[in-house]
Amino acid sequence: MNKKAVLLLVCRDEPGIVSRVSNFIFQNGGNILDSDQHCDLETQTFFLRIEWSLENFKLSREAAQRQIEALTQSFRISTQLKYNDSLARLALFVSKYPHCLYDLLVRHQLGELEVEIPLIISNHSELKSVAQHFKIPFHVLSVNAQNKTQAEAAQIKLLQDHQIDFIVLARYMQVLSADFISKYSHRIINIHHSFLPAFVGAKPYHQAYARGVKVIGATSHYVTEEVDQGPIIAQQVAEVSHRDRVEDLVRKGRDLERSALAHAVRMHVQHRVLAYKNKTIVFE
């Protein structure tokens, strides 16, 4: 494996940012492999993703972190320094719908998602056989209005015990509490079966059918306290017509859900997403 580092930077825009970061990498023996940037002209906010090879890089990771912090101290809002030689640990949350779970597990098995999946957590037992097929531990924790606090505490303990880095809600049909979300800010990815912000909430395909829309979609986003309102990472759409029944919309929508969720997970794992306020910059 060619070991690589990725720096993600959000700061106020000013001349010389790219030059300073590039020179830091060059002067320490790094070879830049990929670089992308964006400036939001309305807020004068600058976003940078830069990736370099560590083959001849002279600094230890601790020294690199210190020097980057010193280098960007005058203008930075936030920086993240990531490495590709340690796989992110992903926990999958599911309920009864299997299509997104199957898709992610098959992609993982084929090597398309470079993550570790130590466990699957569900509020129902229906998908246990799927987890058994892929040899992944499956934990059933029933959730209702009376035991929600205790159930989430048990979920969080499992996540901590397995050193989970991020969570994917693969059609997990429960609303997470604000306390839970705060512990994994911008590290919980959801798939919503609608082209948000249209048709939020339950049964969006039924809502779309009732409105006679000509396009349906699916949206993958980071979870925030406001349901279905988090920063959007990926969306997919498909055309529909008056001939399509609700069942047709659901069938077409499931294909979109799989694709949008997998793409969002891949972008997150490759450190290509910068969340800022309630939007994302996705460096494809």
Side-chain angles (χ1 to χ4, degrees):
M1 174 186 288
N2 180 18
K3 293 184 180 181
K4 296 179 288 187
V6 175
L7 175 64
L8 299 169
L9 171 69
V10 182
C11 65
R12 69 174 183 271
D13 187 39
E14 63 179 56
I17 296 170
V18 175
S19 175
R20 273 180 272 180
V21 174
S22 300
N23 283 336
F24 160 77
I25 295 169
F26 169 73
Q27 290 168 2
N28 289 287
N31 178 35
I32 295 174
L33 303 173
D34 186 49
S35 180
D36 205 347
Q37 64 198 62
H38 172 70
C39 181
D40 184 333
L41 297 178
E42 291 186 2
T43 63
Q44 291 298 302
T45 304
F46 182 76
F47 305 87
L48 173 68
R49 179 189 187 274
I50 191 163
E51 178 180 320
W52 68 94
S53 171
L54 296 174
E55 184 177 357
N56 297 307
F57 196 61
K58 301 173 185 176
L59 297 180
S60 68
R61 299 186 182 192
E62 294 77 11
Q65 183 70 47
R66 288 194 301 270
Q67 291 199 26
I68 286 172
E69 289 178 357
L71 177 72
T72 60
Q73 188 173 17
S74 64
F75 55 77
R76 73 187 177 102
I77 295 175
S78 69
T79 57
Q80 301 175 54
L81 184 57
K82 306 289 187 178
Y83 297 91
N84 75 327
D85 58 352
S86 59
L87 296 180
R89 295 172 64 81
L90 159 64
L92 289 167
F93 277 48
V94 297
S95 290
K96 295 182 179 181
Y97 295 105
H99 55 291
C100 287
L101 176 63
Y102 265 116
D103 184 74
L104 291 173
L105 293 178
V106 169
R107 291 176 189 270
H108 178 254
Q109 190 175 69
L110 293 174
E112 295 178 9
L113 291 178
E114 296 183 349
V115 296
E116 294 180 2
I117 307 178
L119 78 165
I120 298 169
I121 294 175
S122 181
N123 58 328
H124 296 281
S125 61
E126 276 81 347
L127 300 182
K128 185 175 182 178
S129 61
V130 180
Q132 290 174 333
H133 175 78
F134 288 92
K135 297 180 173 59
I136 298 175
F138 188 84
H139 300 266
V140 180
L141 294 168
S142 178
V143 182
N144 55 52
Q146 290 70 41
N147 76 343
K148 188 178 182 69
T149 300
Q150 293 84 355
E152 286 196 344
Q155 291 171 344
I156 290 170
K157 185 177 188 308
L158 281 171
L159 298 176
Q160 292 172 340
D161 289 346
H162 288 84
Q163 299 178 308
I164 294 300
D165 296 303
F166 75 111
I167 300 161
V168 171
L169 309 182
R171 293 302 303 271
Y172 179 63
M173 309 305 287
Q174 288 285 327
V175 176
L176 300 175
S177 70
D179 182 62
F180 189 113
I181 294 168
S182 68
K183 290 178 170 59
Y184 292 90
S185 178
H186 295 150
R187 292 190 292 151
I188 307 174
I189 299 174
N190 184 45
I191 183 65
H192 183 73
H193 43 312
S194 170
F195 193 77
L196 294 175
F199 308 129
V200 299
K203 295 189 174 181
Y205 294 128
H206 293 74
Q207 296 179 54
Y209 178 80
R211 289 294 304 273
V213 301
K214 305 309 178 189
V215 175
I216 61 168
T219 303
S220 190
H221 62 94
Y222 287 123
V223 175
T224 59
E225 291 183 33
E226 288 189 81
V227 178
D228 299 335
Q229 299 296 315
I232 292 170
I233 307 169
Q235 293 181 296
Q236 299 283 343
V237 296
E239 293 183 355
V240 296
S241 78
H242 59 277
R243 300 183 188 278
D244 288 305
R245 300 169 299 169
V246 171
E247 295 81 2
D248 298 315
L249 269 59
V250 171
R251 173 179 51 82
K252 293 180 179 182
R254 284 176 177 167
D255 289 340
L256 301 175
E257 293 165 35
R258 287 190 285 259
S259 178
L261 182 58
H263 185 66
V265 174
R266 186 177 298 111
M267 292 298 98
H268 179 88
V269 168
Q270 294 179 356
H271 313 302
R272 295 185 177 275
V273 186
L274 275 167
Y276 181 68
K277 295 186 176 178
N278 203 47
K279 296 177 13 179
T280 60
I281 305 299
V282 182
F283 294 115
E284 299 277 354

